[in-house]
Amino acid sequence: MDALNTVWDTFFDLDAMRAALPDMLRVGLPNTLVLALFSAVIGTVLGMVLAVCGLSQHRWLRWPARVWTDVFRGLPAAVTILLIGVGLAPLGLEIWGPNPYPLGILALSLIASAYIGEIFRSGIQSVDPGQLEAARALGFSRPWGMRLVVIPQGVRRVLPALVNQFIALIKESSLVYFLGLLASQRDLFRIGQDAAANTGNQSALVLAGLCYLLITVPLTHVVNAIDRRLREGRRADGGPSETPEGTTDPASRPELAISQEPR
Amino acid sequence: MTQQTRSSHTGALTGGVGVATRDVQLSLGSNHVLRGVDLEVPAASTACVIGPSGSGKSTLLRVVNRLLEPDSGDVLLDGRSVLGDDPDVLRQRVGMVFQHFNLFPHKTVRANITLGLTRLKGLSKDEAAERALVHLDRVGLAHKADVRPGNLSGGQQQRVAIARALAMEPEVMLFDEATSALDPELVKGVLATMADLAAEGMTMLVVTHEMGFARSVAQQVLFMDHGRVVEAGEPGQVFEAPRTERLQRFLSQVL
């Protein structure tokens, strides 16, 4: 019984959690979100560039994209973050002073871009070649056909995979602690770990974990919702004219549409 | 482009321009697909291209609007070579309808049509939407403007694809087996739309397996085999009195 109590106290000491909570919410949560958000945006933009280059007809665009992807997907995240964050630190010091965040975000973005680039590439490649052909037959150039017709469809198909990548990014953002953070720069993980180290009690780290779950679990549900919408939506996104009052069960719409064949 | 009269028609079509190819050759990889194709489609007439699969019919259509560039030979519109033109501008003059419709599934029926009008023809949103409705109405689908293509039957989708091509006000229309992917009961509606278009004076080059359509609508039927036009003439002559043994064999298989 004693042993059980010890375990409970080690992980779920509410007083220890309460002590860590203010820092966790005021400092850790914003920092984690800033890291994840900026890297997600930059990683997505870079990823799209990589995908388009990777699908280019020009070898001198395809090849660098390939190498970039292989390198940043192949290296452990910790290695990339340390190499960029420490290796470029003198340069960073000159540009934005003693703040490890920009380099941390850069490293996280580079890692994310490699994965996101592959996600986009597979999405774009899955679009029927007839779509680009139809766009070109209307008079669009190849780049405009890609931009207006092919890429929007490709991206839509891989939204679930993209959100999964964002989840990974939120978790990997904890690795910036390698770069040495000031008290105000600590993210969720670092605050939990510091408190755990100071008190010899893991409860603060458990609290940090709960904070991560609070962000990531809803996101996984977003993934599932998108996934479901995409799968059903393909048949049921008939638009307002099809179901004026929105009363129709989505699943029953396709038959409706076909039975209305006027000629 | 300059001598082209910018007709402001919305519903009825004025006469298109003639299409011709001269000794067109094209290899795709090691495959010699077109081996010197000559054809001549006079303005406001319909020519049907028939022949076994793999004979180069669809490839020929794609050379006419330069989705594929010929290795040699020439393509003429209105008697003038178009191989030196900007291919994107040329394709605005040549409408194309595909076997698998190739509507943009992420856009509504209306947006499928307005995309080219606003982006390429420089129409305002309202003008484009208005013209889209006119052309949807022509094919009897104005009430489907806000629906996505996935909710339409194949026949309806193909008629939208025809409306999309016509809204660009092309001078020539190409049809690549436009009814081959349709359920039999939906073929008629699409063929009727195509026949109307031909009757209104559009210049049409139609690759088809619908021998009935070729016989009743076309002024000229071309039989292709192994990348060449083997035999060409009026439908009556091609179907009733085929001269070559290859065409006789083909007709006996499909009729």
Side-chain angles (χ1 to χ4, degrees):
Chain A
M1 211 53 211
D2 254 11
L4 256 184
N5 271 334
T6 313
V7 168
W8 180 261
D9 285 345
T10 304
F11 292 109
F12 298 102
D13 182 341
L14 292 182
D15 288 334
M17 285 191 185
R18 210 168 292 135
L21 191 61
D23 269 357
M24 201 72 86
L25 294 183
R26 268 204 308 268
V27 180
L29 187 63
N31 279 338
T32 291
L33 288 180
V34 161
L35 280 171
L37 216 67
F38 275 87
S39 338
V41 170
I42 300 172
T44 303
V45 172
L46 286 178
M48 182 51 79
V49 173
L50 277 183
V52 170
C53 290
L55 291 169
S56 165
Q57 292 165 310
H58 303 289
R59 184 185 311 209
W60 45 269
L61 280 176
R62 225 170 35 232
W63 215 73
R66 194 68 255 157
V67 172
W68 176 300
T69 304
D70 285 347
V71 168
F72 289 110
R73 205 172 43 162
L75 287 176
V79 172
T80 305
I81 288 171
L82 270 176
L83 282 177
I84 302 263
V86 176
L88 296 183
L91 190 71
L93 203 62
E94 244 171 67
I95 304 176
W96 41 64
N99 186 344
Y101 266 59
L103 287 178
I105 288 172
L106 175 65
L108 288 171
S109 303
L110 293 180
I111 298 166
S113 74
Y115 287 97
I116 292 174
E118 286 298 277
I119 290 170
F120 280 151
R121 194 169 64 96
S122 72
I124 292 168
Q125 270 181 319
S126 75
V127 175
D128 172 19
Q131 291 288 310
L132 182 61
E133 196 175 43
R136 291 178 66 211
L138 280 174
F140 287 105
S141 63
R142 188 182 287 269
W144 273 102
M146 289 296 284
R147 203 173 132 183
L148 293 173
V149 172
V150 178
I151 291 176
Q153 291 181 56
V155 168
R156 223 162 279 218
R157 284 180 203 188
V158 295
L159 280 181
L162 193 63
V163 178
N164 273 332
Q165 201 51 48
F166 292 158
I167 291 173
L169 203 48
I170 289 165
K171 296 185 290 178
E172 278 175 3
S173 69
S174 60
L175 291 172
V176 288
Y177 89 93
F178 282 136
L179 304 182
L181 304 172
L182 298 178
S184 65
Q185 295 167 343
R186 293 178 302 167
D187 70 327
L188 284 173
F189 161 72
R190 189 59 203 258
I191 286 175
Q193 203 222 3
D194 282 355
N198 288 339
T199 60
N201 183 298
Q202 300 300 308
S203 300
L205 204 50
V206 171
L207 182 65
L210 288 174
C211 287
Y212 280 111
L213 289 178
L214 225 59
I215 311 171
T216 53
V217 171
L219 271 181
T220 59
H221 286 286
V222 169
V223 174
N224 293 339
I226 295 174
D227 213 18
R228 216 173 309 124
R229 242 194 78 114
L230 284 179
R231 217 165 311 140
E232 288 165 6
R234 194 151 297 151
R235 306 146 78 227
D237 53 359
S241 74
E242 199 80 346
T243 48
E245 301 309 323
T247 48
T248 320
D249 165 24
S252 72
R253 279 197 230 165
E255 296 88 68
L256 194 84
I258 287 162
S259 66
Q260 284 176 346
E261 169 85 39
R263 276 200 200 176
Chain B
M1 223 30 214
T2 43
Q3 76 269 35
Q4 168 200 352
T5 49
R6 281 250 166 245
S7 54
S8 61
H9 63 259
T10 43
L13 290 148
T14 52
V17 304
V19 182
T21 68
R22 302 261 185 272
D23 193 28
V24 163
Q25 304 256 359
L26 176 63
S27 293
L28 298 172
S30 60
N31 199 355
H32 198 173
V33 186
L34 298 178
R35 303 164 182 249
V37 176
D38 290 281
L39 67 79
E40 186 96 48
V41 188
S45 78
T46 296
C48 281
V49 183
I50 61 173
S53 50
S55 56
K57 311 185 293 290
S58 296
T59 307
L60 176 64
L61 284 192
R62 282 162 176 74
V63 167
V64 170
N65 69 355
R66 290 177 64 198
L67 283 173
L68 295 170
E69 296 288 346
D71 296 336
S72 65
D74 204 354
V75 178
L76 299 99
L77 239 61
D78 209 11
R80 201 177 60 80
S81 172
V82 295
L83 290 185
D85 293 359
D86 177 345
D88 298 334
V89 175
L90 165 68
R91 286 185 208 113
Q92 292 186 36
R93 303 173 61 192
V94 183
M96 185 161 190
V97 174
F98 299 89
Q99 180 177 3
H100 296 289
F101 331 135
N102 298 358
L103 292 177
F104 309 136
H106 60 305
K107 294 189 178 296
T108 62
V109 163
R110 187 199 318 273
N112 261 275
I113 299 176
T114 56
L115 185 69
L117 297 178
T118 53
R119 294 274 181 173
L120 296 169
K121 294 273 186 187
L123 267 63
S124 75
K125 261 191 176 154
D126 289 344
E127 290 169 328
E130 197 181 316
R131 201 196 282 188
L133 268 188
V134 168
H135 286 279
L136 280 174
D137 199 39
R138 277 176 60 93
V139 298
L141 290 172
H143 60 298
K144 295 289 187 187
D146 295 308
V147 173
R148 280 184 212 259
N151 289 344
L152 299 178
S153 71
Q156 290 174 330
Q157 288 190 47
Q158 192 59 297
R159 278 163 25 219
V160 171
I162 293 173
R164 178 174 72 179
L166 288 180
M168 298 295 285
E169 299 187 337
E171 298 155 61
V172 176
M173 283 288 286
L174 310 175
F175 291 85
D176 186 16
E177 301 195 21
T179 58
S180 297
L182 296 177
D183 291 338
E185 73 272 20
L186 304 179
V187 170
K188 251 191 192 165
V190 172
L191 289 181
T193 302
M194 291 166 62
D196 289 349
L197 193 56
E200 287 168 31
M202 177 60 81
T203 310
M204 312 212 317
L205 186 56
V206 182
V207 169
T208 187
H209 293 298
E210 294 290 334
M211 299 304 152
F213 178 85
R215 200 191 293 251
S216 61
V217 176
Q219 282 79 48
Q220 185 188 177
V221 175
L222 299 100
F223 171 65
M224 276 186 77
D225 197 14
H226 294 297
R228 284 196 184 84
V229 175
V230 177
E231 201 170 331
E234 288 175 8
Q237 179 227 313
V238 168
F239 288 115
E240 311 309 337
R243 293 185 306 260
T244 57
E245 189 263 334
R246 267 193 281 181
L247 177 54
Q248 284 161 12
R249 190 152 28 102
F250 175 74
L251 289 176
S252 72
Q253 281 161 353
V254 297
L255 291 179

